Every structure is written in C-alpha cells, then in structure tokens.
Amino acid sequence: MTIRTLLVPSLLGLAIVAGAAQAAAPLRPPQGYFAAVDKVKSSDSHDGCDAMPQPYTGQLQFRSKYEGSDKARATLNVQSEKAFHDSTADITSMERGTSKQVMQFMRDGRPQELSCTLNWLTAWAQADALTSKDFNHTGKSMRKWALGSMASSYIRLKFSDSRPLATHQKEAQEIEAWFGKLADQVVSDWDNLPLEKTNNHSYWAAWAVMATAIATDRRDLFDWSVKEYRIAANQVDPQGFLPNELKRQQRALAYHNYALPPLAMIASFAQANGVDLRQENNGALKRLGDRVLAGVQDPSQFQARNGREQDMTDLKVDSKFAWLEPYCTLYTCPDDVLQRKHGMQPFKAFRLGGDLTRVYDPAHEKGNH
C-alpha cells in the first residue's frame, strides 16, 4: 500500500469534517454588533420604564394609506392614513420603543433599560402577538416590519461582548422562539410571489427573516432571505432601475431609495457569514445605489423613464439614507458620497435596528466629523 493510498481517505475525512464544521458555524451579524456597552451606569435613570404597548393579538386587517388610489398606489388618502396609524399605533410604539431602549442601554448600560426591553418582548411573545392568520396585505406588511425592527434591535443585545443576556436565558429563549414563529409566518406570507408583485415589500420581508435568522441561528431562514435577495437583484435592470418601483409614478425615486435599506442590510449580513452577494446580477446592488444617488442629485433621470416629475419630500429626510452605512462597507464609496454620508450621520432607523452609524462607522457615531 502506497503512502498516497493511505493519505487519500484521511484527507477525505478531514475535508468532510472541515465541511461539516463550516456548515455548522453559528450565524453571526457583522462585526459592529459585537460592540460592548459604552459605559455601565448602575443608578437607574429618573425616567422609569415607558408604559408597554398592548400586545397586538387581533386580526391583521388594516386600511392602506393609499386606499382608493389607482394601481400605482402613489396618492395618499389622508383619512385612511389616519385610520391606519390609529389601528397600528401599539405595533409601531413597540417597534420604536424597543429600538430606543436598546440604543439607550448600549450607550449607558442601565439594567432598567435592559429589563424594560426584555419585559416588553417577553410579554408580546407570551401573548403570541402578531401571529394572526387573518390578515390583508397591509397586515402582513406590518408583521414583517415589526419583526425586522424587533429582531434587529435584539441582535445588538444578543451579540454584544458585554453579554447582557447571559443572566436572562429564559426570556431570551421565549423571545427567540416567538421571533422564529413570526419569521415562519413571514416566509409563508411572502414566498413565491409572481415577479410583478415582488417589490420593496418582499425585500423588507427578507430583511426581517435575515435578522431573525441571525437572532435564532436558523440556517433555513438565512437561506430563504438570500434566495429573496437574489430575486430582487435580478429585478434591477442594466441602468439600475427597478421596474416595479418605476410604476409608483411621482414616488418612483422615493421607492427606489426605500428598496435599498433591506437589500444593503441583507448583503452585509450575508457577507458576515461567508456569502458574497455583491456580484449578483453584475453588481445589481451597486447599480441601484448609484442610480438612486444620481437621481437625488438629478431626478429628471427618473422622469425620463416613467414620465412623471418626482416627489422629493421623502428624500429630504436624512434617516431615509441609512442604507449608506452597510452599503459603504460593501463597496468603496467615492469621496463625494462619503461626504454626504458624514453630513447626514448619525443614522438611526428603527426598522433596521437603531443606530447604524454606531454599528458600521463608530468613528462618526456622535457626529465627531
């Protein structure tokens, strides 16, 4: 028997073991999520814990703010928008409140902020909130937005080097089990849609599922999010436009910009786990980002494509560009884009888990330009 024949099976065995170890590597977020709590203040602040929003256990049937609009869904209906905000107030308060408390805890480490957050999330988990199977399009949209907000804030607690959840294992298990259940429903809500109905909503659903995949270490959820990202990337045309967002008439540019945060976050989280999505469809994400940044400078490009003058209201809000944080770690952003980014920082976006500048560009977190 030659040395070679002895070596081959053992090398094969090593390769199998290495492959298994790689497959079993726990999912993780990008490096910035491992940041420790800034400073630990033991004294409780005077603010106390905000009143917890009532766990939402009803039907997810909500009026759309575009009710009565034509199929472009670009004209706001003020009356139905108010009805929508009233009926979803507890859900939105939960999203914003969780994000705010986690950001405060990561800054000053007060135990009260942590227990507040965990009490809220545990109460909603125990109530089986947001799991109703009776939903319309707006209802399933609220479900995925809320899951993305809560799971992406929670990741900062779960992975912080300060290990704030070490003494809260029971709550963590309950919360993560509920996130997993919600994510399964979000997958069911948004899976296998025809391409003409696959738009920014699907991208936000995929972001919620990605955040949950990392929070719960579930590879099946991670794979589904990556699959949805690839579908999205293949919708970006050679000029960097998304056909389904061009249909939004005067709001086309705003909706292209709105499609970027979930896609940039998914690509960033995938990359942290060894999956490089930057080259999908010949660099689709970069093409889309470049098109939007150029469109903000000169909206006539969008008008030339869909014949409508663009409504720039949304694009005057700095936080709408929070996607630049992950995006400028995936690609080398040119100096003029970095200057714009630094001028708008810090980026705080509750549906992306709070302070993204702290996670991706901590040198500029407090506006120390």
Side-chain angles (χ1 to χ4, degrees), residues 28 30 210 214 222 226 265-277:
R28 47 166 291 154
M210 174 59 85
I214 306 301
F222 178 87
V226 167
M265 291 299 280
I266 293 166
S268 169
F269 274 52
Q271 191 183 45
N273 292 285
V275 178
D276 189 349
L277 296 174

Coordinates of all heavy atoms in Angstrom, one line a residue, residues 28 30 210 214 222 226 265-277:
R28 N -23.8 34.7 12.4 CA -23.4 35.9 13.2 C -23.7 37.2 12.4 O -23.8 37.2 11.2 CB -21.9 35.8 13.4 CG -21.1 35.4 12.2 CD -19.6 35.7 12.4 NE -19.3 37.1 12.5 CZ -18.2 37.6 13.1 NH1 -17.4 36.8 13.7 NH2 -18.0 38.9 13.2
P30 N -22.7 41.3 11.3 CA -21.4 42.0 11.1 C -20.7 42.4 12.4 O -21.3 42.5 13.4 CB -21.9 43.2 10.3 CG -23.1 42.8 9.6 CD -23.8 41.9 10.6
M210 N -33.9 37.7 7.7 CA -32.5 37.6 7.9 C -32.1 38.0 9.3 O -31.3 37.3 10.0 CB -31.7 38.6 6.9 CG -30.2 38.7 7.1 SD -29.3 37.1 7.0 CE -29.1 37.0 5.2
I214 N -30.3 35.4 12.2 CA -29.1 35.6 13.0 C -29.5 35.6 14.5 O -28.7 35.0 15.3 CB -28.5 37.0 12.6 CG1 -28.2 37.2 11.1 CG2 -27.2 37.3 13.5 CD1 -27.3 36.1 10.5
F222 N -32.0 32.0 7.0 CA -30.9 32.7 6.3 C -31.0 32.4 4.8 O -30.9 33.3 3.9 CB -29.6 32.2 6.9 CG -28.3 32.8 6.2 CD1 -27.8 34.0 6.7 CD2 -27.7 32.1 5.2 CE1 -26.7 34.5 6.1 CE2 -26.6 32.7 4.6 CZ -26.0 33.9 5.0
V226 N -31.5 35.0 1.5 CA -30.6 35.1 0.4 C -31.3 34.8 -0.9 O -31.1 35.5 -1.9 CB -29.4 34.1 0.7 CG1 -28.6 33.9 -0.6 CG2 -28.5 34.6 1.8
M265 N -28.7 45.7 3.9 CA -28.5 45.0 5.2 C -28.4 43.5 5.0 O -27.6 42.9 5.6 CB -29.7 45.3 6.1 CG -29.8 46.7 6.6 SD -28.3 47.3 7.6 CE -28.7 46.5 9.2
I266 N -29.2 43.0 4.1 CA -29.1 41.5 3.8 C -27.8 41.2 3.2 O -27.1 40.2 3.7 CB -30.2 41.1 2.8 CG1 -31.6 41.2 3.4 CG2 -30.0 39.6 2.3 CD1 -32.8 41.1 2.4
A267 N -27.3 42.0 2.3 CA -26.0 41.7 1.7 C -24.9 41.8 2.8 O -23.9 41.0 2.8 CB -25.7 42.7 0.6
S268 N -25.0 42.8 3.7 CA -24.0 42.9 4.7 C -24.0 41.7 5.7 O -23.0 41.2 6.1 CB -24.3 44.2 5.5 OG -23.5 44.3 6.7
F269 N -25.2 41.3 6.1 CA -25.3 40.1 7.0 C -24.9 38.8 6.3 O -24.3 38.0 6.9 CB -26.8 40.0 7.5 CG -27.0 40.9 8.7 CD1 -26.8 42.2 8.7 CD2 -27.6 40.3 9.8 CE1 -27.0 43.0 9.8 CE2 -27.9 41.1 11.0 CZ -27.6 42.4 11.0
A270 N -25.2 38.7 5.0 CA -24.8 37.5 4.3 C -23.2 37.5 4.2 O -22.6 36.4 4.4 CB -25.4 37.5 2.9
Q271 N -22.6 38.6 3.9 CA -21.2 38.7 3.8 C -20.5 38.3 5.1 O -19.5 37.6 5.2 CB -20.7 40.1 3.4 CG -19.3 40.1 3.0 CD -18.8 41.5 2.7 OE1 -19.1 42.5 3.4 NE2 -18.0 41.7 1.6
A272 N -21.1 38.7 6.3 CA -20.6 38.3 7.6 C -20.6 36.8 7.8 O -19.9 36.3 8.7 CB -21.4 39.0 8.7
N273 N -21.4 36.1 7.0 CA -21.5 34.6 7.1 C -20.9 33.9 5.9 O -21.3 32.8 5.5 CB -22.9 34.2 7.3 CG -23.4 34.7 8.7 OD1 -23.0 34.1 9.7 ND2 -24.1 35.8 8.8
G274 N -20.0 34.6 5.2 CA -19.3 34.0 4.1 C -20.0 33.9 2.8 O -19.6 33.1 1.9
V275 N -21.1 34.6 2.6 CA -21.9 34.6 1.4 C -21.8 36.0 0.7 O -22.4 36.9 1.3 CB -23.4 34.2 1.6 CG1 -24.2 34.2 0.3 CG2 -23.5 32.8 2.3
D276 N -21.1 36.1 -0.4 CA -20.9 37.4 -1.0 C -21.9 37.6 -2.1 O -21.9 36.9 -3.1 CB -19.5 37.4 -1.6 CG -19.1 38.8 -2.1 OD1 -20.0 39.7 -2.1 OD2 -17.9 39.0 -2.4
L277 N -22.8 38.6 -1.8 CA -24.0 38.8 -2.8 C -23.7 40.0 -3.6 O -24.5 40.4 -4.4 CB -25.3 39.0 -2.0 CG -25.8 37.8 -1.2 CD1 -27.0 38.1 -0.3 CD2 -26.1 36.6 -2.1

